[in-house]
Amino acid sequence: MKNEIINLLKKEGKVSEETINEIKDIDINEFSNLIQDIGKQETVHIKESEISKDLNTKYVGKNLFIYNEVNSTNTLAKFLSANGAENGSVVISEKQTAARGRSGKAWESPLGGVWLSIILTPNVDHSKLPLITLATGVAVAKTLEKIGVENPEIKWPNDIMINGKKVCGILTEAIAKFNTIENIIIGVGIDANLNLDDFPEELKEGTTTLEKELGRKGDENLLIRLFLEEFEKISDQFIAGGYEDILKEWRKRSYTIGKIVEVREPFNKYFDGYVIGIGKEGALVVEKIDGTLEKVISGECIIKN
């Protein structure tokens, strides 16, 4: 995290190369006010005024930190959450240079996408954490429906699909001390106004963008505003314990249920099976080849043809 903060200060011209070594010996938390101030400066494409002017939320997005370029909005959100950023604060960057998805996978984040992280401080049990990822997926899908995307689907546990191709990923990280959750960071990356030709070859086949699917460029600021509104609605449901209602919405948009998949769990545990559904705790319910049922809490799910 320290390198992230130092890199941001360098990019913004707040420190010189000559002072880097001195800064490395200083507690990075002392720079929290400066980092917040940078996040309040005018940026080129993502505009605080455009997001906020009609934003219909009580707390999500009421405090926006918008940057030209960061390594990772999730990392920066963790830093700000540790330094007093309030519940519902949102970190947005026009570009990310070292973003990651689940399992540490690299995430392409060029100009033209929506890259943001939300700081949430829900008073919920640790066992409910997988549900916040599913809830965020529902919020993204509903947002895409509002801008004209037909039938966006959610691939367990954290991808949004259009016509069988990924358009959005979600990365949820908990900040805990002594088994107590202090904050949850929900990172969302949407491939909005991006050119697929700019993607690495290995990503082109399974990826799409909103511009491609809708046949036009969209308003990134409007997309962010609509998403923050949908996220607050479902966040309120989550905090109030409305888990079954969230799961009902998720199941309606599931890309995974009813498909044959390869499940890749931690510690190299792989198996094939048929997805029956999703449990009340957010686990994928898979019927294995031998007929036994397996609940998958975490891992990766590969759809098989």
Side-chain angles (χ1 to χ4, degrees), residues 154-167:
I154 311 170
K155 178 176 175 286
W156 186 92
N158 67 322
D159 293 339
I160 310 302
M161 315 290 286
I162 303 176
N163 296 322
K165 295 188 175 184
K166 179 175 177 177
V167 74

Side-chain angles (χ1 to χ4, degrees), residues 1 4-5 8 29 32 35-36 63 65 67 70-93 96 100 115-121 171 173 175 183-188:
M1 185 180 293
E4 164 80 355
I5 301 306
L8 179 55
N29 293 315
S32 62
I35 296 299
Q36 292 187 39
N63 196 12
F65 299 100
Y67 300 86
V70 302
N71 286 3
S72 161
T73 58
N74 261 32
T75 301
L76 195 52
K78 288 179 189 177
F79 173 80
L80 294 175
S81 71
N83 286 278
E86 62 196 35
N87 181 42
S89 294
V90 181
V91 177
I92 307 170
S93 185
Q96 294 181 110
R100 65 199 185 284
W115 323 118
L116 63 81
S117 297
I118 301 172
I119 300 170
L120 201 62
T121 57
L171 178 63
E173 299 181 279
I175 301 172
N183 291 300
I184 300 174
I185 308 299
I186 303 106
V188 176

Side-chain angles (χ1 to χ4, degrees), residues 97-113:
T97 57
R100 65 199 185 284
R102 297 181 78 247
S103 304
K105 293 181 179 178
W107 180 267
E108 295 293 320
S109 312
L111 195 65

Side-chain angles (χ1 to χ4, degrees), residues 33 36 42 68 108 116 125 132 207 242 271 284 292 296 300:
N33 289 337
Q36 292 187 39
E42 187 77 5
N68 291 297
E108 295 293 320
L116 63 81
D125 187 84
I132 194 63
T207 302
F271 63 89
L284 201 66
T292 60
V296 184
E300 190 175 3

Side-chain angles (χ1 to χ4, degrees), residues 59-296:
Y59 60 96
V60 171
K62 292 303 182 182
N63 196 12
L64 298 173
F65 299 100
I66 306 174
Y67 300 86
N68 291 297
E69 181 180 303
V70 302
N71 286 3
S72 161
T73 58
N74 261 32
T75 301
L76 195 52
K78 288 179 189 177
F79 173 80
L80 294 175
S81 71
N83 286 278
E86 62 196 35
N87 181 42
S89 294
V90 181
V91 177
I92 307 170
S93 185
E94 296 189 336
K95 293 169 62 179
Q96 294 181 110
T97 57
R100 65 199 185 284
R102 297 181 78 247
S103 304
K105 293 181 179 178
W107 180 267
E108 295 293 320
S109 312
L111 195 65
V114 168
W115 323 118
L116 63 81
S117 297
I118 301 172
I119 300 170
L120 201 62
T121 57
N123 183 21
V124 295
D125 187 84
H126 196 280
S127 65
K128 300 300 182 184
L129 277 178
L131 290 170
I132 194 63
T133 299
L134 304 187
T136 304
V138 173
V140 173
K142 286 187 171 184
T143 301
L144 300 188
E145 290 165 359
K146 280 190 170 181
I147 65 168
V149 175
E150 294 184 7
N151 194 33
E153 296 177 289
I154 311 170
K155 178 176 175 286
W156 186 92
N158 67 322
D159 293 339
I160 310 302
M161 315 290 286
I162 303 176
N163 296 322
K165 295 188 175 184
K166 179 175 177 177
V167 74
C168 170
I170 300 162
L171 178 63
T172 304
E173 299 181 279
I175 301 172
K177 285 186 179 178
F178 308 111
N179 294 322
T180 299
I181 296 172
E182 294 191 333
N183 291 300
I184 300 174
I185 308 299
I186 303 106
V188 176
I190 304 174
D191 295 332
N193 298 318
L194 302 181
N195 187 340
L196 281 177
D197 291 337
D198 295 333
F199 281 68
E201 287 298 326
E202 63 271 18
L203 295 181
K204 285 182 182 179
E205 185 176 348
T207 302
T208 192
T209 70
L210 294 182
E211 181 177 350
K212 181 179 186 300
E213 296 298 329
L214 294 173
R216 55 177 168 79
K217 285 188 177 292
D219 183 339
E220 295 153 36
N221 296 292
L222 173 63
L223 183 63
I224 292 170
R225 176 173 65 79
L226 292 174
F227 167 67
L228 296 181
E229 292 173 350
E230 289 297 333
F231 180 84
E232 182 173 279
K233 291 174 189 175
I234 208 155
S235 173
D236 286 345
Q237 269 189 305
F238 175 79
I239 292 168
Y243 309 128
E244 188 51 48
D245 289 336
I246 292 170
L247 289 172
K248 187 182 298 182
E249 292 293 329
W250 192 95
R251 291 184 185 109
K252 281 165 51 178
R253 298 169 174 84
S254 174
Y255 179 76
T256 313
I257 294 173
K259 289 190 169 66
I260 296 173
V261 300
E262 177 185 299
V263 176
R264 300 178 179 179
E265 292 187 284
F267 308 109
N268 294 320
K269 182 183 177 183
Y270 295 0
F271 63 89
D272 290 351
Y274 176 82
V275 180
I276 292 177
I278 191 143
K280 63 181 181 180
E281 71 284 7
L284 201 66
V285 182
V286 181
E287 182 179 357
K288 299 169 75 173
I289 292 173
D290 64 5
T292 60
L293 297 183
E294 181 94 5
K295 285 188 175 182
V296 184

